[in-house]
């Protein structure tokens, strides 16, 4: 039990994940209100918006306006997502509010890479090289490597630990060539294959390979194993998790309609607090924001804890 | 990791739990079809019906007809639930199909006892004495003690390990006076308070107090912690779990409308198989029965795995 950490970082991705996939329309003011409400819950990281082509993701056509409108609270790190040079430039224009660092995100499954990014792993590796060059040219530090489909793939089946390690190695090697020092690796369960056993295998192998790098788990609850997998990871001392309030979001390319996406932040917080792990988050406040998220999107969200409420009697 | 068991018993309670709470009406033939389908999945225990007052639980007015109609498959133990002498006599009339043993079920929370059974713990203790006498008079072996609200209570809040131990001690003591040897203790999370940490505390304390008795966990997923709690219990070597296919059921007295109930059998089976633990259950067959259960009740059921499907690509 001694590996259980004292403090865990909840990386809240509800706004970015949720508003990209919700059929909407959701007003700019409502998006800002959700981010501001999250800022008051005690989470120390919020991924706010996606700077993507409005034609591809209409839900984020107002990304610039959302960042302009949201309040920046001390002690909270606000980030954004982008995929190309244009998106990077939009993010850089908001450095007064956004923490802009670079990440090199690859895929452990070639089929998922094609479905999600419309290119093979080999083609995507070349794209990552260009991304790294662009980040260097813009003086943006490259700090993170990510592995999509690290736990398994709905299109091609099992993904081996070796495939996940290789995907990360590709990113690490491009980062090295670019003179960057990678501090974090995100293992993304893009299609909800995580289980406690898979989590233990992956975390163990990545720890052994890169003992100095912090692991971030991006777990999905698609098959009901998200919280149990987080439990396994916490027992191994993992201290950073992506999650979304109310379970907002889900991957549009996962190939399983109706499947839920990210683990719910409030369930992760309850799990941690019950294990005696600090998160800095006010659980009751976070549940209230989850209810607000349900009102904004206009339908029930996947979080189970949201329906039942916490232990308050 | 050495406490992880080789084999786990899935005690399927979907029919009994589900049909008592579903607004229905569900035909007798459909109830029989679900039980027969479950018999073919490889589960070795099915709780089939509830012999209760049809005025109180109209969904089980046809309990006798269901037992008469269902097929008895070799290797499967079929049980039923009852609460009084009349129910016991109905169960005894079906001993050709039902495995009839006695259980003494108490509550760790006085308020829940009043809400659920309309009497205090002290009053219920007297009822349990009468139940024990009736079981003895009918030559029904008393084999199990149960503790409702063992993990916490939506009405009165925290339930201490000590309260749960005391509730079990009451049952154990009545069993002793009746000359019975208790083989199993069920810890029931009646209102969905389980978390991995609470599970570890309870299992640890009960193991220490009654090392020779097998623990059965009846976990609810009301707050999203059901599967994670099962994971914690499996790591401690717990080998018996109550669960319901598709997550059928839920406690009508839990005081949280819309809250989900039991952990879904198929999620528990996936969790076990991924940990290398045998269940004897064909996961794909069980998922198909879950889909059948959704068709019978006519609305989506809580299981997350049911929506996504297993890892078959």
């Amino acid at each position: 039990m001694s590996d259980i950490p004292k403090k865990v970082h909840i990386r809240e991705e509800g706004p970015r994940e949720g508003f990209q996939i919700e059929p909407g329309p959701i007003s700019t003011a409502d998006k800002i209100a959700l981010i501001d409400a999250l800022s008051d819950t005690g989470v120390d990281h919020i991924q706010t918006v996606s700077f993507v082509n409005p034609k591809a993701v209409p839900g984020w056509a107002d990304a610039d306006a959302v960042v302009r409108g949201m309040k920046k609270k001390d002690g909270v790190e606000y980030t954004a997502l982008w995929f190309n040079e244009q998106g990077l430039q939009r993010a850089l224009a908001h450095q007064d509010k956004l923490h802009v660092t670079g990440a090199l995100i690859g895929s452990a499954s070639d089929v998922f890479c094609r479905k999600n990014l419309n290119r093979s792993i080999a083609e995507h590796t070349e794209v990552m090289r260009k991304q790294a060059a662009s980040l260097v040219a813009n003086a943006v530090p490259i700090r993170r490597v990510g592995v999509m489909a690290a736990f398994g793939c709905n299109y091609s089946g099992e993904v081996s630990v070796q495939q996940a390690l290789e995907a990360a190695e590709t990113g690490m090697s491009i980062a090295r060539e670019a003179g960057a020092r990678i501090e974090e690796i995100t293992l993304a369960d893009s299609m909800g294959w995580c289980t406690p056993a898979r989590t233990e295998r992956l975390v163990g192998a990545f720890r052994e390979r890169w003992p100095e790098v912090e692991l971030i788990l991006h777990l999905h609850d698609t098959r009901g194993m998200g919280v149990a997998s987080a439990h396994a990871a916490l027992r191994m001392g993992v201290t950073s998790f992506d999650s979304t309030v109310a379970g907002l979001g889900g991957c549009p390319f996962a190939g399983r309609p109706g499947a839920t996406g990210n683990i719910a932040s409030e369930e992760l917080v309850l799990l941690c607090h019950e294990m005696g792990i600090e998160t800095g988050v006010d659980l009751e406040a976070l549940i209230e924001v989850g209810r607000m998220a349900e009102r904004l999107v206009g339908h029930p969200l996947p979080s189970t804890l949201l329906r039942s409420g916490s232990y308050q009697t």
Side-chain angles (χ1 to χ4, degrees), chain A:
Chain A
M1 304 279 292
S2 59
D3 286 339
I4 293 177
K6 287 213 173 75
K7 160 101 190 173
V8 155
H9 297 282
I10 309 289
R11 300 165 57 94
E12 172 58 45
E13 302 201 336
R16 196 274 300 168
E17 286 265 5
F19 299 139
Q20 89 187 6
I21 200 173
E22 286 293 334
I26 294 157
S27 74
T28 304
D30 279 348
K31 292 174 188 171
I32 293 168
L34 187 78
I35 294 169
D36 286 349
L38 282 167
S39 292
D40 288 333
T41 60
V43 296
D44 50 22
H45 181 109
I46 303 175
Q47 197 177 60
T48 57
V49 304
S50 214
F51 292 116
V52 280
N53 185 340
K55 281 176 195 153
V57 186
W60 275 127
D62 58 355
D64 293 285
V66 168
V67 177
R68 271 196 303 274
M70 73 186 205
K71 289 193 193 75
K72 182 169 158 52
K73 180 159 180 160
D74 283 350
V76 184
E77 188 176 86
Y78 300 89
T79 60
L81 193 70
W82 65 88
F83 295 101
N84 57 23
E85 180 67 29
Q86 203 179 352
L88 170 60
Q89 293 305 328
R90 287 170 72 189
L92 287 171
H94 294 287
Q95 284 193 87
D96 56 325
K97 285 188 167 165
L98 297 180
H99 183 74
V100 180
T101 60
L104 300 171
I105 316 286
S107 171
S109 156
D110 195 67
V111 189
F112 182 71
C113 197
R114 291 169 196 269
K115 295 272 181 190
N116 193 21
L117 303 172
N118 206 26
R119 49 189 176 251
S120 69
I121 287 179
E123 288 160 352
H124 182 59
T125 299
E126 291 315 305
V127 170
M128 283 201 286
R129 275 190 227 287
K130 286 177 193 153
Q131 287 172 341
S134 157
L135 290 163
V136 170
N138 285 284
V140 175
I142 304 171
R143 289 288 175 258
R144 192 161 59 88
V145 156
V147 180
M148 297 184 292
F151 293 74
C153 176
N154 285 344
Y155 303 106
S156 57
E158 294 289 335
V159 167
S160 68
V161 169
Q162 189 55 35
Q163 284 173 288
L165 287 168
E166 280 167 18
E169 186 52 75
T170 301
M172 296 298 268
S173 133
I174 294 171
R176 259 196 311 274
E177 291 161 18
R181 192 174 61 82
I182 294 298
E183 295 168 351
E184 301 165 335
I185 296 177
T186 298
L187 296 175
D189 178 27
S190 311
M191 286 159 287
W193 281 58
C194 70
T195 66
R198 283 167 199 266
T199 304
E200 284 166 4
R201 286 199 295 271
L202 270 177
V203 169
F206 273 73
R207 281 267 181 76
E208 196 176 307
R209 178 72 186 81
W210 292 288
E212 75 290 358
V213 175
E214 184 178 345
L215 289 179
I216 301 171
L217 292 194
H218 181 102
L219 302 171
H220 280 195
D221 198 33
T222 318
R223 290 178 170 86
M225 302 290 126
V227 178
S229 300
H231 175 241
L234 288 166
R235 291 187 65 116
M236 295 181 80
V238 172
T239 55
S240 287
F241 295 84
D242 294 343
S243 61
T244 67
V245 68
L248 270 166
C251 177
F253 307 104
R256 301 273 166 140
T260 61
N262 304 273
I263 54 173
S265 304
E266 59 274 21
E267 294 185 358
L268 187 56
V269 168
L270 175 63
L271 175 72
C272 288
H273 290 186
E274 284 280 312
M275 292 173 79
I277 301 168
E278 282 175 46
T279 63
V281 177
D282 178 338
L283 178 59
E284 298 306 324
L286 189 61
I287 287 174
E288 280 310 311
V289 177
R291 294 192 170 129
M292 174 186 179
E294 282 196 330
R295 287 194 302 271
L296 297 190
V297 303
H299 60 81
L301 288 166
S303 166
T304 302
L305 181 56
L306 205 60
R307 285 197 291 282
S308 62
S310 77
Y311 296 136
Q312 287 197 336
T313 50

